[in-house]
Amino acid sequence: MKARVIVTLKSAVLDPQGKAIEGALRSLGVSGVQSVRQGKVFDVELAGNDRASAEGALKEACDRLLANTVIETYKVEFAE
Amino acid sequence: MKSAVILFPGSNREHDAARALKLVAGSNVNIVWHGESELPKHTDLVVLPGGFSYGDYLRCGAIAARANIMGAVRAHAEKGGLVLGICNGFQILCEAGLLPGVLVRNAKLRFVCREVFLRVERADTAFTRAYRKNELLRIPIAHGEGNYTADETTIKQLEAEGRVAFRYARADGQIDQADGPNGAINGIAGIYSEKLNVLGMMPHPENNIEAQIGRTDGRGLFESLAAALKAAA
């Protein structure tokens, strides 16, 4: 089973890297970009096909390592 | 006095920390590999040195914080044992949950490598008893992710409990967050755990221990540790 974990900064946390990217897009002349927030994507392959246990494992992975929940939130998407 | 300096892949200040501990505190020093599961017997102080453990992969300190040896470091801290995290070591302590909050990218996105003024917030801990309260120190920093932040409740609690160890100051001793090198909230450069036995700090006191190669403002921290452990023995 394949899943994608997306980790992003909480909205209240300043993201200087996102800001710099936003500025670079503007200087490239890419129009219509209002703001950019940077995050991380993890593509994870899981053994077996049990969705519930995969969700449990990924939640544990996020809480214990992939995300620092002081400043980040995460969501998990499963490939169809 | 017996110290253990923990070595992770990518640590690079372990010898400087060990040298300061030997030279200034007269400590016996063991360098301990992160894969070990126990600290050497009778370890008084654990030091997590500066560097770029695991190449700062994922988040600074995130992978080192889950290393095997960290179980023993946590147990040492829970028993009231002294733990000092410098720079990457501070990031590791936050990631391990031994200190609250997190160190994020410097506000202006630059790696900052220079000497700063630090104000000693209290001089009654095992780490600072050789200093005076409000004493200004000149100590170098060298980091890209030293911007300390935490939720509002945590910051209020740290301030109310006197757990800020050092703040970035101006030359006149005033604190101005906007003037700080990295954007850290309230100018926080170092914090203590609840029982004041764990200290994490971004600046490098181990750099300033010999007059021949600069200042000696960092000596006080190692002298403090030696005195505190002697008093406790």
Side-chain angles (χ1 to χ4, degrees):
Chain A
M1 193 184 300
K2 289 183 178 176
R4 174 163 283 185
V5 175
I6 300 165
V7 176
T8 49
L9 284 174
K10 288 180 182 172
S11 56
V13 177
L14 284 176
D15 178 14
Q17 293 180 95
K19 278 274 169 229
I21 294 162
E22 186 185 310
L25 287 174
R26 229 166 254 146
S27 68
L28 281 172
V30 179
S31 62
V33 176
Q34 287 194 310
S35 77
V36 178
R37 307 272 295 167
Q38 182 174 317
K40 296 188 185 95
V41 168
F42 303 89
D43 286 327
V44 185
E45 283 192 67
L46 296 126
N49 278 313
D50 180 23
R51 176 81 173 248
S53 71
E55 277 174 3
L58 289 170
K59 184 177 180 335
E60 186 185 355
C62 289
D63 288 334
R64 295 184 63 190
L65 181 63
L66 299 184
N68 181 331
T69 53
V70 176
I71 47 167
E72 294 170 325
T73 55
Y74 59 84
K75 66 177 179 186
V76 175
E77 292 172 353
F78 284 92
E80 294 309 317
Chain B
M1 174 174 175
K2 196 168 169 184
S3 308
V5 177
I6 312 297
L7 180 60
F8 300 96
S11 299
N12 60 17
R13 302 305 311 281
E14 71 276 10
H15 289 294
D16 306 86
R19 185 156 189 282
L21 288 163
K22 287 177 197 163
L23 195 76
V24 185
S27 178
N28 169 300
V29 180
N30 287 294
I31 295 201
V32 178
W33 183 240
H34 69 100
E36 299 289 333
S37 46
E38 281 178 44
L39 295 167
K41 279 202 167 43
H42 311 299
T43 293
D44 299 303
L45 166 73
V46 175
V47 178
L48 305 182
F52 297 86
S53 58
Y54 294 92
D56 283 348
Y57 293 174
L58 189 62
R59 297 176 305 273
C60 299
I63 299 181
R66 279 86 181 165
N68 215 25
I69 193 67
M70 290 305 291
V73 175
R74 189 184 306 277
H76 177 77
E78 278 166 6
K79 278 188 308 191
L82 296 171
V83 180
L84 168 65
I86 302 168
C87 199
N88 189 221
F90 184 11
Q91 295 164 340
I92 295 169
L93 289 173
C94 288
E95 277 285 345
L98 285 168
L99 290 173
V102 60
L103 293 138
V104 298
R105 188 60 64 101
N106 291 350
K108 289 175 188 159
L109 288 172
R110 293 175 66 174
F111 189 98
V112 184
C113 181
R114 64 174 164 93
E115 206 164 63
V116 295
F117 288 96
L118 284 188
R119 195 175 77 187
V120 179
E121 295 298 296
R122 56 189 295 176
D124 60 346
T125 74
F127 301 89
T128 56
R129 59 181 60 193
Y131 294 121
R132 296 182 315 277
K133 183 176 160 66
N134 291 331
E135 186 173 345
L136 269 194
L137 311 177
R138 290 179 74 172
I139 304 278
I141 56 168
H143 60 248
E145 281 95 353
N147 181 352
Y148 182 78
T149 189
D151 62 72
E152 205 179 324
T153 319
T154 304
I155 297 294
K156 274 192 185 144
Q157 192 183 356
L158 287 174
E159 294 287 356
E161 293 173 359
R163 286 168 54 193
V164 176
F166 304 102
R167 290 183 213 271
Y168 302 109
R170 296 193 309 227
D172 63 3
Q174 295 303 304
I175 310 298
D176 183 349
Q177 192 179 317
D179 272 358
N182 53 28
I185 194 158
N186 297 355
I188 291 173
I191 56 168
Y192 294 111
S193 63
E194 215 174 310
K195 288 187 284 181
L196 305 175
N197 61 316
V198 179
L199 167 66
M201 61 190 294
M202 289 312 296
H204 288 275
E206 78 279 19
N207 283 27
N208 280 11
I209 56 162
E210 283 165 289
Q212 277 169 315
I213 51 165
R215 297 172 204 287
T216 56
D217 299 25
R219 292 182 72 92
L221 188 131
F222 300 98
E223 285 164 0
S224 298
L225 287 164
L229 287 165
K230 200 171 168 194

